[in-house]
């Protein structure tokens, strides 16, 4: 335990010291981690034993897995579909070409064709971790070359599966399955002994499981978890999904990274995407660092010293062949010189899958162990070279002015526009058009590829991205811009973006569209520069025209609408005060109830508004005193009468109130009186009946009857008199 | 110390030669409230109650505007129509403005002599502003002769400096307007009585 903790401390300390230094010298964090790994590795300072780095790498590889999960989260399925040409075309071509070239050279060096093919396939793979991390660090992942790299890496991840299937066929000796039995879950062991179609079925089932669970169940699960309001459980759930998917995929023989990537894509549409991202991000960063360190630490210097030239020539071979192949492929797929150069620099190395595959081949006696050792070392060193190549690329491109890779296909926000527009839906489009018509440049952030596509067709530049990310805002030039206009659909995102802007770019003026009244309250709370409820003005416009149709003069109608608006805005602030004390929609409320409680809050707000409208008596034309001439005599009398009536009404209301207060006392009396009336009436009725029975009753009887009726009438008047008292 | 409300109206301040330079000066005077009507009410929808509340706390009401078509820009006319309600500014119980001072600061594009009576435009600026004078009288306000800057199309920096100094001087002198009013009230413009001996002392009220 202490030993384990000590190792963690060494890891952390090494990264804390070396990585900032590497960053300072502009070497990038990846190189920093690798150097830190070399330093603490068994051949330099020796803080790590020879066996440690492999055991640690098993944990560290989850860094790569998580990175792919996070990348998946950023890619919606529709966007992924767009990448199908580079993934299949470029990826396929790359694998084919590199495999053939490397195999040919190995064959030329006297290997058998089987061994050569195995080496070719394994070395054709590049390192997802290093490439993606390096590119994203340098903000090149969004460029055409960056996107192509990513697509090719994705294809490579997929092609690991067939490679694993083909490798045993290339064994010079009979494959001994027992070598594999040492590790793996029960399912994977069971699968090993199943025929091919069962394995295929298992793979299919696993993928379908991820898609269905990711698409239909995960959102609900997260909603449920979020409603528990325990943030660490949310993190635990996210981790559970990532690791669970990774294990599932590995047990059916697929790459864990690919599986989690798929899971990430499935969750890209989920409203909890951002929170999931936030909870996974720190793990990913640390574990990825750990992964790079373990790669650095695994460089076997003894072997290197033993056969330096063999290793050096292997490294040179890998890097040069892959560089040339990658450059050629990129040119073939219509990348210009600079883009192709970037692509080739980024991808010219062996991948982390090579470690796994080499150990697999060694275990299965496909390749001689001595050769795999040297090749593993060569791959490791080639990984170390990639950051250096990237630095070289930056120097060359700067010197030759080859900025095409960042400018042409997807410029990385080089303009410093005064306006940033976050979200480019119908509302913000109009704002953007107005501002641009007046000559103000706008940087538009939008994460709906469809909108981007349409706008691009009309020559407008729109950038894909989640505006709530501070780094993206920084890229979009938020530190130089003057204002930001927010038109995002989800209120939570709007809140998040406002908080982000206020925290990181406090100089930006914030303009927001509010979807509804409750959101307007939020915006008052946030104290944004300006907000407008999206429906207010257009509704009033239509309303004013309706008033015209009802006989108002157009100007009167317009004025009434404006008076109404002014009143409504005043009321918004008044009702906000009430809402503030009792917000129905608390932050972080259970999402399950969110919808219901949101509509409830809205309808509460509406009824408050309607109540307010009824009592505010200054909204009719008659109350608008402007342009009113001096009143005529008649009008003065009318007005006096109206005032008198109002006063009368008020007096009555007071009396009623007083009466109501006395009700307790009076009610008893009323009841008693009512009973008295009842009995009298009953008597009268009985008397009437008697009279009817008697037929042709006497005058005396009739007189009696009249008397009782009078009594009955007298009783209620007595009651009302009492009431008045 | 009188509190001064400056009702400012310029629909295209970006094109302004005179007022854009004067406005910051007014804003710098302590007892002056600059109330830019086109900025406050871009859609010319004026809140009567708010304006009345402003009027209530000031003793001197000034209107400053470019002299468009021998009159005020539209929003100032709307302002009168909407804000000066019956029962507030005039008529029964309408004495809210009683005893306050009312004056105009304006600029014309014509040379000063064209606004001499009988000359090019035939009437003086004060004559053209007769409706405002009558408005002031109906509201029981003391009407101040206009402060006029002529020839705004041919201003150079030197002349503008003089106007700026005079403008500031006029605003400052309004603090003790009670003293001066008897002396000023008949003048065709305030400039002629304030800055006698300077270049535009052309007019005196005698015709």
């Amino acid at each position: 335990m202490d030993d384990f903790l000590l190792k963690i401390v060494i890891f952390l300390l090494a990264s804390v010291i070396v990585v900032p230094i590497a960053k300072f010298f502009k070497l990038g964090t990846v190189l920093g981690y690798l150097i830190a790994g070399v330093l603490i590795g068994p051949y330099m300072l020796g803080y790590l034993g020879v066996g440690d780095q492999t055991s640690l790498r098993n944990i560290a590889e989850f860094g790569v897995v998580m990175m792919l999960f996070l990348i998946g989260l950023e890619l919606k399925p529709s966007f992924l579909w767009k990448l199908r040409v580079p993934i299949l075309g470029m990826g396929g071509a790359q694998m084919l070409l590199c495999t053939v070239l490397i195999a040919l050279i190995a064959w030329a060096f006297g290997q058998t064709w089987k061994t050569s093919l195995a080496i070719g396939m394994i070395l054709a793979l590049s390192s997802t971790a290093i490439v993606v991390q390096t590119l994203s660090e340098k903000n090149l992942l969004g460029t055409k070359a960056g996107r192509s790299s990513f697509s090719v890496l994705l294809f490579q991840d997929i092609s690991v599966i067939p490679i694993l299937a083909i490798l045993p066929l290339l064994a010079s000796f009979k494959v001994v399955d027992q070598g594999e039995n040492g590790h793996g879950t029960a399912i994977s062991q069971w699968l090993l002994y199943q025929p091919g179609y069962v394995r295929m079925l298992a793979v299919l089932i696993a993928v379908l499981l991820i898609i269905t669970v990711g698409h239909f169940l995960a959102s609900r699960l997260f909603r449920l978890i979020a409603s528990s309001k325990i943030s660490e459980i949310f993190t635990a759930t996210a981790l559970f999904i990532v690791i669970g998917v990774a294990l599932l995929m590995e047990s059916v023989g697929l790459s864990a990274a690919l599986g989690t990537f798929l899971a990430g894509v499935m969750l890209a549409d989920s409203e909890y995407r951002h929170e999931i991202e936030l909870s996974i991000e720190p793990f990913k960063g640390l574990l990825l660092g750990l992964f790079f360190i373990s790669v650095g630490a695994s460089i076997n210097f003894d072997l290197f010293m033993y056969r330096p030239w063999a290793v050096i020539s292997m490294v040179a071979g890998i890097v040069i062949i892959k560089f040339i192949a990658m450059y050629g492929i990129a040119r073939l797929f219509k990348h210009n010189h600079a883009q192709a150069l970037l692509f080739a620099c980024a991808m010219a190395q062996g991948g982390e899958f090579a470690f796994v595959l080499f150990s697999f081949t060694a275990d299965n006696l496909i390749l001689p162990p001595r050769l795999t050792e040297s090749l593993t070392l060569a791959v490791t060193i080639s990984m170390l070279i990639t950051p250096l190549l990237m630095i070289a690329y930056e120097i060359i491109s700067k010197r030759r002015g080859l900025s095409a890779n960042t400018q042409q296909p997807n410029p990385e926000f080089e303009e410093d526009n005064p306006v940033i527009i976050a979200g480019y839906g119908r509302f913000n489009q109009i704002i953007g058009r107005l501002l641009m018509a007046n000559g103000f440049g706008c940087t538009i952030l939008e994460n709906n590829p469809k909108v981007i596509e349409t706008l691009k067709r009309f020559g407008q530049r729109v950038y894909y991205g989640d505006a709530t990310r501070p780094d993206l805002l920084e890229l979009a030039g938020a530190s130089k811009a003057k204002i930001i206009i927010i038109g995002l659909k989800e209120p939570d995102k709007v809140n998040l973006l406002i908080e982000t802007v206020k925290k990181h770019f406090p100089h930006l003026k914030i303009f927001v569209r509010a979807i509804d009244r409750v959101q307007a309250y939020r915006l008052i709370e946030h104290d944004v520069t300006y907000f407008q409820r999206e429906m207010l003005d257009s509704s009033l416009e239509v309303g004013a025209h309706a008033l015209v149709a009802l006989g108002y003069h157009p100007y009167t109608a317009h004025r009434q609408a404006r008076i109404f608006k002014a009143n409504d805005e005043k009321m918004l602030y008044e009702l906000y005060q009430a809402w503030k004390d009792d917000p129905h929609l608390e932050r972080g409320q259970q999402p399950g109830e969110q919808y219901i409680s949101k509509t409830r809050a809205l309808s509460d707000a509406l009824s408050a508004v309607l109540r307010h409208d009824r009592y505010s008596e200054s909204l009719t034309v008659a109350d608008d005193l402007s342009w009113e001439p001096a009143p005529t005599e008649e009008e003065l009398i009318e007005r006096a009468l109206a005032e008198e009536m109002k006063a009368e009404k008020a007096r009555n209301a007071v009396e009623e109130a007083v009466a109501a207060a006395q009700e307790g006392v009076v009610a008893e009396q009323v009841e008693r009186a009512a009973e008295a009336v009842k009995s009298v009436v009953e008597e009268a009725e009985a008397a009437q009946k008697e009279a009817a029975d008697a037929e042709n009753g006497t005058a005396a009887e009739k007189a009696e009857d009249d008397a009782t009726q009078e009594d009955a009438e007298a009783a209620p008047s007595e009651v009302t008199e009492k009431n008045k008292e | 110390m009188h509190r001064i409300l400056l009702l400012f109206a310029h629909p295209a301040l970006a094109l302004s030669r005179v007022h854009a330079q004067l406005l910051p000066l007014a804003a710098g005077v302590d007892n002056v409230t600059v109330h830019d009507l086109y900025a406050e009410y871009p859609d010319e929808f004026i809140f009567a109650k708010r304006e009345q509340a402003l009027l209530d706390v000031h003793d001197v009401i000034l209107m400053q505007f470019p002299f468009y078509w021998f009159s005020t820009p539209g929003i100032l006319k709307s302002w009168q129509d909407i804000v000066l309600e019956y029962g507030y500014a005039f008529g029964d119980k309408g004495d809210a403005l009683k005893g306050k001072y009312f004056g105009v600061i304006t600029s014309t594009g014509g040379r000063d002599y064209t606004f001499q009576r009988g000359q090019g435009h035939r009437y003086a600026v004060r004559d053209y502003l007769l409706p405002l004078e009558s408005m002031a009288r109906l509201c029981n306000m003391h009407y101040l002769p206009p402060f006029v800057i002529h020839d705004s199309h041919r201003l150079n920096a030197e002349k503008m400096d003089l106007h700026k100094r005079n403008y500031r001087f006029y605003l400052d002198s309004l603090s003790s307007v009670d003293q001066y009013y008897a002396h000023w009230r008949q003048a065709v413009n305030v400039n002629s009585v304030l800055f006698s001996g300077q270049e535009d002392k052309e007019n005196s009220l005698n015709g």
Side-chain angles (χ1 to χ4, degrees), chain A residues 585-601:
Chain A
L585 202 62
E586 286 163 20
R587 213 163 288 149
Q589 193 168 16
Q590 303 90 311
E593 288 177 14
Q594 198 158 314
Y595 179 73
I596 304 166
S597 107
K598 190 176 171 186
T599 42
R600 203 186 61 210

Side-chain angles (χ1 to χ4, degrees), chain A residues 562-563 566 625-627 630-631, chain B residues 43 45-48 81-82 85-86:
Chain A
R562 282 300 275 111
I563 289 172
L625 297 177
S626 303
W627 295 284
Chain B
D43 62 353
F45 179 82
I46 296 167
F47 289 108
D81 295 352
I82 291 166
E85 288 173 347
Y86 174 86

Side-chain angles (χ1 to χ4, degrees), chain A residues 52-62 290-291 294-299 352 355-356 376 380:
Chain A
D52 281 342
Q53 61 288 66
T54 33
S55 62
L56 274 168
R57 192 182 298 155
N58 284 337
I59 308 170
E61 260 164 17
F62 269 109
L290 196 61
F291 171 77
S294 71
V295 168
S298 69
I299 292 178
E352 58 270 13
F355 302 140
V356 182
T376 308
T380 314

Side-chain angles (χ1 to χ4, degrees), chain B residues 83-165:
Chain B
V83 179
L84 304 179
E85 288 173 347
Y86 174 86
Y88 172 78
F90 70 103
D92 187 27
K93 292 177 207 152
D95 55 1
L97 303 177
K98 192 173 178 185
K100 295 183 195 289
Y101 290 91
F102 177 83
V104 166
I105 296 168
T106 189
S107 63
T108 77
R111 292 177 195 275
D112 48 10
Y113 55 78
T114 61
F115 280 98
Q116 282 180 13
R117 288 174 178 152
Q119 297 296 322
H121 294 306
R122 298 181 57 212
Y123 298 102
V125 170
R126 175 164 183 166
D127 303 336
Y128 283 111
L129 294 177
L130 207 54
L132 286 178
E133 192 170 342
S134 299
M135 176 270 281
R137 213 188 41 189
L138 191 61
C139 298
N140 284 313
M141 292 195 281
H142 306 298
Y143 183 74
L144 299 166
F147 177 97
V148 186
I149 294 173
H150 285 299
D151 215 10
S152 61
H153 298 316
R154 283 168 288 267
L155 282 175
N156 56 28
E158 200 185 325
K159 277 187 195 163
M160 196 58 222
D161 272 350
L162 180 69
H163 287 312
K164 275 152 93 172
R165 254 180 289 139

Side-chain angles (χ1 to χ4, degrees), chain B residues 167-180:
Chain B
Y167 175 76
R168 176 67 204 250
F169 185 75
Y170 174 54
L171 289 182
D172 287 341
S173 62
L174 283 174
S175 295
S176 30
V177 65
D178 304 312
Q179 269 169 257
Y180 303 130

